[in-house]
Amino acid sequence: MTRTPRPALHVDVHVARGSLHVEAAFDAAPGHPLAIIGPNGAGKSTVLAAIAGLVPLESGAVSIGDRAVGALPPEARRIGVVFQDYVLFPHLDVRDNIAFAARMRGGSRVAARAAAEPWLERYGLTPLAERFPAELSGGQAQRVALARALAAEPEVLLLDEPMSALDVEVRAEMRSELATHVREFGGATVLVTHSTADAAALADSVLVLEAGGVTQRGALADLRAAPATPYVQRMLAAAAE
Amino acid sequence: MTAPTRRLASGPGGRLAWPIAALAAVALALLVLPLLSLVLRAPWADLPRLLARESVLQALVLSFGTALAATAVCLVLGVPLATALARASGWPTLARRLLRAAVTVPLVLPPVVGGIALLQLLGRRGVVGGLLDDWFGIAVPFTTGAVVIAQVFVAMPFLVFAVEGALRTADRRTELAAATLGASRWQVFRHVTLPLVAPGVAAGAVLCFSRALGEFGATITFAGSLPGVTRTLPIASYLAMQSDPDEAIALALLLLAVSITVLVGLRDRWLPGVRG
């Protein structure tokens, strides 16, 4: 887990999702997580899917440092994704979930499992290594999802509503744990959320997406000082309560 | 919604109206009594001797061999076809419907029609059979290979629909997650899709095998009834009925035993409705 200088993520995409057209252009610098925030149906998750290569672009480009990845299939992009409700492999135990990427790179099962060991340890998952996803709590599943994504050694990390599948009682704790892991990762990170609390804890700056377009970008403090739209104003007012 | 729907035919307290109870009893009798009679009238004392006959053993080996081969062919070809069917959502509606119809037809077609159709394709003067005969001197009909082809024709839909159903209920996002972790399309299929639908594949393979084992109409039309070459258990049983009914009953019992074994094997995981 050596720290090499990590590249920035450059995004300028146009995606069609049914009748909704989503256009977003932004950069995410390594070590400075960006939160995409916005109302339901604004196209937040679609932007993440476009960056990861899971939905086709109408037009635009995605690059990591100098490497254009917009035309590459997802498996060649080196972009890690933590999905909403995590989408662990139900037929594999925790160890094999985390070993999955190493296995796909052509390692033997034994070698891939050995490569998963440090991740299990680091995320406190060693006692759960033989469990299957159905036997995990929400918080445990989140840890596995994050470890599984980072074990693939991605250059960019995307998190789609990472807290939404968690019970309210454990959210605050998991939020600070996730913030620590995201800082440790140190690469360009983009997360989607509709919670200003998540954005404040996990991200350095915020991109507001409404009805398929970016309406404001800045630190949360900037948004507070000058909310650009009624939605931003309402969102911040609701968070202040 | 479920409770009122389930109780639609029953009066208060879950009792059935008497005409419904009577008709249900007749239906049940129609399903059960023939098999019960078969068991009752079986020449149990002679059974070992009957089943040890050369002709019976020949038919037994041939039937299991061809049904297993047909199941293998259906697995190799049917799983990809099911995948195409389940993932065809991006296709034009007409193409999707035609594809589905093509897979469904053998399911509803009288097997004899399938046999006649296979002859028109692979017979000596058939569309492709003529070429095979002219160029390579290969004649497909009335061979053991023809038995397997006839069985594949009738049994394939069972496998395809079982696997397709499993694919439809599997979470597509697990495949996307695998791709973001570096898995190629083939690796996704091999390491994620296939294990996720394994129960459906197994259930489909068992149904496919039992359908292939019972195949009669298409086989006798396309492959004939040559002892040791194309005379499978159902055909041997039918022919024996005319000369030696005891042997026919013995063969029928054998097929019944296999069917029951299949049912018991399926009951727990794949046919929850069968569970008592």
Side-chain angles (χ1 to χ4, degrees), chain B residues 126-150:
Chain B
V127 178
V128 172
L131 298 178
L132 287 177
D133 195 25
D134 289 349
W135 294 353
F136 308 106
I138 297 174
V140 179
F142 311 108
T143 62
T144 305
V147 175
V148 175
I149 292 171

Side-chain angles (χ1 to χ4, degrees), chain A residues 52 54 74-75 79 81 83-85 87-91 100-101 103-105 148-149 152, chain B residues 171 173-185 187-188 190-193 195-196:
Chain A
L54 305 177
E75 63 267 25
I79 295 178
V81 183
F83 288 82
Q84 192 171 7
D85 62 49
V87 196
L88 301 176
F89 302 122
H91 62 294
F100 189 84
R103 186 105 169 81
M104 293 306 106
R105 279 195 297 265
R148 180 181 71 169
Chain B
D171 189 348
R173 295 180 311 154
T174 48
E175 296 178 341
L176 299 180
T180 67
L181 293 165
S184 66
R185 280 185 191 197
Q187 285 178 316
V188 170
R190 162 80 186 70
H191 292 277
V192 176
T193 314
L196 284 181

